[in-house]
Each structure stands twice: as structure tokens, then as C-alpha cells.
Amino acid sequence: MRTTLGVKAVLMGAGAVCAAALLLATGAPSAAVAQTQAQNQAQSQAQAAQARATLNPAPPRRADEGFGPYPLMVVRGAMLIDGTGAPPMGPVDIVIENDKITDIIQAGWPGLPEREGRPPLNAAHEIDARGMYVMPGFVDAHAHGGSPQKAPDLEYVYKLWLAHGVTTVRGVSLAPHDIAVSEKARSARGEIVAPRIFNYQTIGSGWSRGRIRNPEMAREWVRWGAANGVDGIKFFLRGDETPEVVLAAIDEAKKNHMGTVAHIAQPGVAQLNAEQLAAAGLGTITHFYGHFESLLGGRTIQDYPTDYNFYDEQKRFGEAAEIWDEVEPGSAQWYAYLEAQKKAGVVFDPTMTIYAASRDLMRARNAPWHQTYTLPALADYFQSTRDNHGSYFFDWTTSNEVAWRRFYERFMRLVNDYKKVGGRVTVGSDSGFIWKLYGFGYIEELELLQEAGFHPLEIVRAATMDGATTLAEPTGKAPTFGIVRPGMSADLVITTENPLANFKTLYGTGHERLSPENRIETVGGVRWTVARGVAYDAPALLADVKAMVDRQKAERGEAQGGR
């Protein structure tokens, strides 16, 4: 999904186009070109200043926010799910020194008392995790950080992510380039309460030369991005992103060890579908766009109605699902496509959660967490309107929802079949649109992958090791996070319930069940999130979020509520 600020970061005035054209034609800048370039730079700086004034970076981490890192910390007596796909094992003690896991030690045998006085004995801090489960910190492979209109404080988004165990995000984009670069560095230094940040930007973002008009400018921007804190590129295949520009940028990104991810929008899919982009070296296909268009058999374009209008979002998203009956699951072409994608090494990041409201709007709109944790401004943004991206339920009918349910059946099979043939699948949420709240949407994606046919252990692997591998792969280096193993970053999710038995217990609102005493009880929620050796009390993070929501409600004169 593209935020309003992301669009502003890409689109510049027509003067930039003229200047670039004149410079290319003459080979040297004229006085007029120099003046225009100066104006463009001033405009870019003004836009960045405006973004800083309205999209607020996280405040410095307070002394009472999290504890650590310590020279030595031990997580005692936990059941370990290490993220590789290995089955649970425990009890174990996890030894952490500063921000790294240094040892994992068997603490006893199931059904027997744990050994007393077991080393190490001189820890500065211990977490009693007896009866709890530990997983690697989750990786959200498709994340946005809000906008001035709906969620102006990055602190709000970060704390919702961390409260749900998300310790790494791929921002596509997280925020305008200068803010994203700064927040990434502040997070790495431990100055703010935030996950690890990877900064992906749309092509042309951040620099002062304006719009990308040709392949050579695309290559120049990629080189500029590599030198200025951009980890990867997010493509949309629309507007200035012509096939020539996109292919040049993918090629240059590989040379500069940068990642690439594409939302293959309808305006561009007829020229470059998912199979063609993967063959060109694209790293990740996010959402569903481009897959079924690669499987249409004797045609290359979906059977659009003649009154289709891409800018009419009810029509755009209503028709997106109607392709479901134009492909044949399980056909020879189906499996040939999946094998070709695996050979190309492309990653599927399905983000099923972000469109799930399309198949059941009432459920998404009435999710129990909205009352307590959704900002009123964000709830306003979610309401149906013609001019907010993703608020497309103008007259959403039973037929629309049925089509989306049929579509999900086939898309889920495609994703599961890709996993079965050996392709890599990651977990991304794209929250902040379409009634999906940060953190909560990520947990829903885990549930949807189980509906698609993944084993719970495969889902945890997709959310941890596979996400980390995908982010590290473009650099040519091994991932340093994503597995609970000595030598890896101390990124952990510690839960009171077994997540493999029920992913619903990971929601910040918990899970209701009937007790043996015949009483309804609420269980679950993440208990601790450890990010690079700093342990955060997840319920305390949620309390901070609730306070932000209550404050905005009070400013509006609205009733406060929730847990």
C-alpha cells in the first residue's frame, strides 16, 4: 500500500522533468537548469521539513521502558521453538550477553523438577519463563509507519508491533526517506523503543533530482540510494515505473546489494507479470497481484468489465477478486509456474490479512481491539470514502464478499503449493489500511497461513528464519537474527500459552475460553518481547498505546473504553 507521504516523496514538479531533459540533451547544466535544480532541492527540503513536523519520530527511550541489555541475562526454564522448523524442546535456559544469544542449555526433563543452582549463576537479570514458550522475534516483511492523517506518532506503531512480538520490520516504506534513515539508526543504537528497521523506498524517493524519467536515471537513483541508507526498493509498476525503468532498477539494485519487492499493480501487470519480474531478478512479490495474471493461459489480461476504472477503488478492489475463476488450480501450468518461480528464487509475501476485510467486512470492522487500541483518527481513515486509499467499501455486497472468498481459496492454495515445492514464503501485514491495526494484523496473517494449509511450525519459520533470510540475502551475508541459536541476535517472543496450539493467544487482547470451573477467562497475549537484548513488558507497551488512544479520544470529547 502506498501512503500519502510516499506519493509526495516520489512526485515532483514538472520543472524537474524539463531540467532533467535539458541536462541529458546538452550534457552540461545551463543557468536555467541550475536554477531549476536548486528549486527542486529547496522543494524537497521543504517537503521533508513538513513531513518531520507532522509525522513524529519516536521519543527517546525512557529509563522505565524495557530492561537491558545486560552483560548477562538468562531466560529460565522455557519451552523453545527455535524458528528453523524444529519441534519444540524444553525446558531450556537461554543465555544472553548484551545483545547476543551465547548459549542454550537444557534445564531438566519434562515431568521432573528442574535442576537447582544451575549455571550461569551471576546473571544481572533473569526472566522466569517456566511454563512459557519462546520463539525468535517476528519479522514483518511488509510494514508502514502511519501518516500525519491517521497515525502521526511512530511511537504508537512501534509499540503495537513490539507488543505482538515483531522485532524487525521491512518498511516499504516506513516513512519518508530522511525520517526512515534516522529512525533506523536510532533503533539500532537502542535510543528508541522500536523494532529493527529495514528502509525500502519507492524509486525516486529522497533525492533532489525529481522524478525518474528513464532507465539511466533509475540506475543513478539506485546508486544514490545505496549510498544514502536505502536497503531496498518497493515497486508499483505504474506512473513513471515503466518496464524499462523497473528492469534497470532491479539490475542496478542487485549490483549494489539492495533488495527489491513489487506490488504489481493492475496498470503494469499486462507488461510485466510476476513470472517475468522474477525471471528478471525481483526479490519479493508482495500481495497477490501478478500471480494469477501469469496463469491465464491463452491471454495475458484479466477479463475486466468495460466500465472498469482503476481510480474507482470499489471497482478496482471489487474486480481484483473476479480473476479467481480464470485460472485452474493444480494444472500443469500451475505447477510449471511455481517451479519457475522457485528456480528464480523469488519470495512470496502474500499479506492476506490486508485484504481479509474484503471477504468479511463486518468481522474486520468490529474486531474487538478497535475500541481500545485504534486511534480515532485511524478509525476515521478506515471509514468508506472515495479519497482515502483502501477505504473502498462504497457499496460492498454479498457478491463482492463471495468472490473474495473464492479468490482466497485459490490464492491460499497457490501460496501453500509454493511452500510445498520448496519456495520461500514470508509473513507481512501491510497494516494501517482496510481496518487492519498494526501488530494485530500480523497475528491474523499467521492464522491465515494456517488456513492456507501451513503447519504451525512452518508458519513460525516463515515469520522468523525465512523473513530474516529474505532481508539478509541481497547483502550477500548470513542473517544475524531470526533463529534462537548461539551467536544470533537476542530477539525473542515469550508467551504464556502454546502458540502452536492456538495463534489467537498472540493477540494483544488475548483469547477467551471456558475454564474448568465453567467461567469465561481471557488468556494469552505476548508476555515479553526481547529486541536486541532489551526486554519489553508487552502488556505495558499496550497500556502505553491505550493511553495514546484515550488521550486522542479525550481531545475529541469521545468516551474512553476498553481493557
Side-chain angles (χ1 to χ4, degrees):
M1 314 289 292
R2 188 194 295 259
T3 65
T4 303
L5 283 173
V7 174
K8 289 181 179 177
V10 174
L11 298 180
M12 301 292 288
V17 179
C18 297
L22 182 58
L23 180 61
L24 288 171
T26 62
S30 68
V33 170
Q35 181 180 4
T36 302
Q37 290 175 333
Q39 292 171 344
N40 291 338
Q41 185 171 5
Q43 181 182 3
S44 177
Q45 291 170 346
Q47 290 173 339
Q50 181 181 10
R52 282 193 295 271
T54 52
L55 183 61
N56 303 316
R61 177 187 162 203
R62 302 189 312 266
D64 64 343
E65 290 185 304
F67 49 85
Y70 294 107
L72 181 63
M73 180 169 72
V74 183
V75 179
R76 294 281 188 190
M79 183 69 72
L80 175 61
I81 304 169
D82 70 6
T84 66
M89 60 188 73
V92 300
D93 294 337
I94 302 170
V95 182
I96 299 169
E97 297 181 20
N98 298 309
D99 62 347
K100 292 287 190 295
I101 299 167
T102 56
D103 206 355
I104 299 173
I105 306 168
Q106 184 174 349
W109 296 97
L112 296 176
E114 294 178 13
R115 298 190 305 274
E116 297 294 333
R118 58 188 187 272
L121 300 175
N122 58 339
H125 190 85
E126 293 192 356
I127 296 176
D128 184 355
R130 288 173 296 178
M132 299 186 188
Y133 284 75
V134 174
M135 297 172 284
F138 296 142
V139 179
D140 191 333
H142 190 130
H144 300 285
S147 73
Q149 179 184 0
K150 59 187 178 181
D153 296 315
L154 286 169
E155 177 188 15
Y156 169 77
V157 179
Y158 295 160
K159 288 186 173 180
L160 279 169
W161 279 329
L162 287 169
H164 288 89
V166 176
T167 58
T168 299
V169 297
R170 173 166 62 183
V172 288
S173 60
L174 177 84
H177 171 70
D178 64 326
I179 296 177
V181 169
S182 174
E183 293 292 274
K184 173 185 172 182
R186 296 174 72 213
S187 175
R189 294 191 297 263
E191 296 174 0
I192 57 177
V193 179
R196 177 187 291 102
I197 295 168
F198 282 76
N199 175 30
Y200 279 49
Q201 293 288 337
T202 52
I203 190 166
S205 296
W207 76 344
S208 61
R209 290 190 53 194
R211 294 167 62 175
I212 305 300
R213 289 299 195 178
N214 55 59
E216 184 50 43
M217 283 191 74
R219 291 181 183 275
E220 290 176 17
W221 180 86
V222 172
R223 293 191 290 268
W224 174 90
N228 285 275
V230 178
D231 297 308
I233 308 168
K234 167 74 173 295
F235 297 107
F236 284 92
L237 280 86
R238 53 182 289 197
D240 294 337
E241 295 182 11
T242 64
E244 296 78 14
V245 163
V246 169
L247 294 176
I250 291 173
D251 178 65
E252 196 66 28
K254 291 173 73 70
K255 295 176 182 177
N256 285 273
H257 306 289
M258 296 168 67
T260 51
V261 56
H263 168 152
I264 310 172
Q266 289 94 334
V269 71
Q271 297 182 82
L272 284 176
N273 61 32
E275 186 169 13
Q276 293 163 332
L277 283 163
L282 179 72
T284 297
I285 300 164
T286 194
H287 306 316
F288 54 82
Y289 306 102
H291 290 300
F292 286 0
E293 289 86 348
S294 304
L295 293 167
L296 292 176
R299 61 193 307 169
T300 59
I301 301 172
Q302 180 181 345
D303 187 16
Y304 292 117
T306 55
D307 65 345
Y308 182 92
N309 183 345
F310 180 76
Y311 289 150
D312 178 339
E313 290 214 343
Q314 161 99 17
K315 182 68 72 173
R316 170 181 168 184
F317 290 102
E319 290 297 330
E322 296 293 347
I323 198 172
W324 72 269
D325 62 353
E326 298 179 40
V327 298
E328 185 181 349
S331 65
Q333 184 185 15
W334 178 276
Y335 284 108
Y337 169 72
L338 295 175
E339 290 291 348
Q341 297 300 72
K342 183 184 72 170
K343 183 177 180 180
V346 73
V347 177
F348 286 11
D349 185 48
T351 67
M352 291 178 284
T353 174
I354 195 56
Y355 300 107
S358 303
R359 66 177 192 163
D360 193 343
L361 177 58
M362 188 182 301
R363 176 181 180 182
R365 182 184 286 155
N366 295 312
W369 42 83
H370 287 313
Q371 176 63 27
T372 307
Y373 300 117
T374 300
L375 287 168
L378 183 54
D380 289 347
Y381 186 93
F382 289 153
Q383 295 294 334
S384 300
T385 177
R386 299 183 190 279
D387 55 357
N388 282 345
H389 176 48
S391 303
Y392 51 81
F393 303 106
F394 307 164
D395 184 16
W396 205 248
T397 67
T398 301
S399 295
N400 288 127
E401 293 195 353
V402 168
W404 272 94
R405 290 168 195 158
R406 300 289 182 266
F407 175 82
Y408 263 63
E409 290 172 2
R410 297 196 174 190
F411 182 47
M412 285 178 167
R413 174 166 178 184
L414 185 84
V415 172
N416 193 41
D417 283 351
Y418 192 53
K419 177 261 300 180
K420 286 181 177 179
V421 302
R424 190 188 308 150
V425 177
T426 54
V427 180
S429 69
D430 195 16
S431 294
F433 303 88
I434 322 179
W435 293 102
K436 298 305 171 183
L437 184 57
Y438 310 98
F440 290 92
Y442 189 87
I443 303 306
E444 183 183 34
E445 185 72 3
L446 305 182
E447 289 197 274
L448 290 166
L449 284 168
Q450 187 166 1
E451 182 181 342
F454 283 55
H455 186 279
L457 284 169
E458 293 176 323
I459 297 168
V460 172
R461 182 176 62 192
T464 57
M465 185 184 79
D466 287 347
T469 300
T470 297
L471 293 176
E473 203 165 48
T475 69
K477 301 176 182 178
T480 59
F481 57 96
I483 301 173
V484 182
R485 174 182 293 167
M488 303 295 276
S489 180
D491 298 347
L492 307 174
V493 188
I494 304 175
T495 67
T496 58
E497 298 286 320
N498 180 358
L500 303 179
N502 186 6
F503 284 121
K504 291 183 186 298
T505 61
L506 296 175
Y507 285 114
T509 45
H511 170 65
E512 287 189 351
R513 68 185 180 197
L514 199 63
S515 73
E517 295 76 29
N518 204 38
R519 291 192 298 267
I520 294 176
E521 60 182 7
T522 301
V523 300
V526 173
R527 181 63 191 90
W528 301 101
T529 298
V530 182
R532 290 190 276 208
V534 178
Y536 293 102
D537 183 327
L541 294 173
L542 288 172
D544 287 348
V545 171
K546 181 180 183 300
M548 295 179 212
V549 173
D550 287 346
R551 185 163 55 248
Q552 192 176 96
K553 287 180 178 179
E555 291 169 355
R556 291 175 165 219
E558 299 178 8
Q560 301 174 24
R563 301 175 74 190

